[in-house]
Amino acid sequence: MIAGEFEKIASEPLRANKSKIGVGSDRYKRAFSMRKKAKYKEWYEKGVRASETGELEHRVRTELWDLIHHITVKIIIDKLALKGNETVFDVGCGWSRIILGIKKYFPEMNIHGIELSEAIYKKGVELAEQYGFGKISIQNGDVLKIDLPEEKYDAIYSTRVIHYLEDEEKQIVIQKIYSMLKSGGKVLIIIPNSYCPYRFFTYKHAPLYPIKRICLALEENKFRNVTWGSYGFIPPWKRFTWDNQFMKLELLLEKIPFVNLMGGLVYAYAEK
């Protein structure tokens, strides 16, 4: 099922959105400060408990190598301009889903990650060994509390994690990312898109969080060239495989103005 699929998809061009956001306006800052506080920790812990009661195995069977997995991996590789010789860090790596995807493109790349849930962390280690990938280092721990190396990484990404955190915790994580990156390093943060119409009805894991607020936090922490875009336009009511006809539709929708900002997932990109 896996053999040759990345070779095929890797040859297709990726058209990531390049919308630049002016997140420093007074109106925007007021909106940021007035946000009602949400209990992100409770939402995250609820998701962890679900993953530890049998749902995790189901996720691995249905979400590894599916359409949104492939597109996410391609977005990360394209936006971070990865070539294979970098040292990369995954903030909240889960069961190594994205790490496995990147390693399919770049088997020799050094990728490190951290995961809070012990059960999910163990599944990530198991899958890395199962697929025979080396140069993967995953640790079980809380990114908010653990000491991480400074100026070590060329690129850092986080997929569908940071929106679970309180605003103060988001600031801590973004500050840590800044200190971990080398000069000129790049970061990509991916979260569910609060501007996506179908997300209001389908996303139950945590409150939706506007990507513009992530952009503001990046700018406030000295990051440069902050931009954002979205992808995942096909609602995830059914998991499609990489070679499904919906892949072509995804790439088409990314070219349409306004529509290309309403995908199910949204990313913020910045440079140190």
Side-chain angles (χ1 to χ4, degrees), residues 89-91 143 148-154 156 173-182 272:
F89 193 89
D90 184 331
V91 179
V143 69
L148 294 167
E150 295 187 1
E151 297 188 351
K152 178 175 181 176
Y153 297 98
D154 301 290
I156 296 175
V173 171
I174 289 172
Q175 289 165 7
K176 284 197 170 188
I177 289 173
Y178 188 89
S179 67
M180 291 166 66
L181 282 171
K182 298 176 183 177
K272 180 174 178 178

Side-chain angles (χ1 to χ4, degrees), residues 110-145:
N110 285 299
I111 306 182
H112 302 170
I114 187 169
E115 169 54 38
L116 179 61
S117 164
E118 183 178 2
I120 298 175
Y121 152 76
K122 287 181 178 178
K123 174 56 68 173
V125 173
E126 175 190 324
L127 288 171
E129 293 175 351
Q130 176 183 331
Y131 285 95
F133 293 128
K135 297 188 177 180
I136 296 177
S137 176
I138 308 170
Q139 57 184 316
N140 179 211
D142 188 342
V143 69
L144 295 169
K145 300 175 181 178

Side-chain angles (χ1 to χ4, degrees), residues 61-245:
R61 288 194 304 272
T62 58
E63 297 179 15
L64 188 60
W65 320 118
D66 71 355
L67 178 68
I68 198 65
H69 179 211
H70 281 281
I71 297 174
T72 298
V73 169
K74 290 200 72 177
I75 287 285
I76 291 170
I77 290 174
D78 178 77
K79 294 301 293 182
L80 297 178
L82 300 180
K83 305 299 182 185
N85 58 348
E86 300 90 348
T87 300
V88 178
F89 193 89
D90 184 331
V91 179
C93 62
W95 41 273
S96 302
R97 182 185 183 211
I98 302 303
I99 291 177
L100 294 175
I102 294 175
K103 291 293 281 188
K104 270 291 187 177
Y105 282 96
F106 305 118
E108 297 303 313
M109 178 181 284
N110 285 299
I111 306 182
H112 302 170
I114 187 169
E115 169 54 38
L116 179 61
S117 164
E118 183 178 2
I120 298 175
Y121 152 76
K122 287 181 178 178
K123 174 56 68 173
V125 173
E126 175 190 324
L127 288 171
E129 293 175 351
Q130 176 183 331
Y131 285 95
F133 293 128
K135 297 188 177 180
I136 296 177
S137 176
I138 308 170
Q139 57 184 316
N140 179 211
D142 188 342
V143 69
L144 295 169
K145 300 175 181 178
I146 198 167
D147 291 329
L148 294 167
E150 295 187 1
E151 297 188 351
K152 178 175 181 176
Y153 297 98
D154 301 290
I156 296 175
Y157 65 87
S158 177
T159 61
R160 291 187 271 186
V161 171
I162 200 169
H163 62 293
Y164 285 107
L165 304 177
E166 301 287 357
D167 283 345
E168 296 82 3
E169 295 170 330
K170 289 183 181 70
Q171 289 285 347
I172 292 172
V173 171
I174 289 172
Q175 289 165 7
K176 284 197 170 188
I177 289 173
Y178 188 89
S179 67
M180 291 166 66
L181 282 171
K182 298 176 183 177
S183 178
K186 304 168 185 177
V187 60
L188 194 72
I189 296 174
I190 299 172
I191 60 174
N193 190 1
S194 65
Y195 306 123
C196 172
Y198 71 75
R199 280 296 184 189
F200 288 102
F201 304 100
T202 63
Y203 194 73
K204 307 297 183 183
H205 303 296
L208 293 168
Y209 194 87
I211 194 65
K212 293 181 181 179
R213 293 173 183 167
I214 300 294
C215 292
L216 175 60
L218 289 167
E219 287 191 339
E220 288 178 338
N221 285 280
K222 303 179 182 179
F223 278 98
R224 304 176 294 109
N225 299 326
V226 179
T227 61
W228 71 281
S230 76
Y231 67 99
F233 303 96
I234 307 301
W237 299 323
K238 181 178 178 181
R239 294 285 173 178
F240 299 107
T241 57
W242 72 273
D243 54 352
N244 193 282
Q245 60 183 335

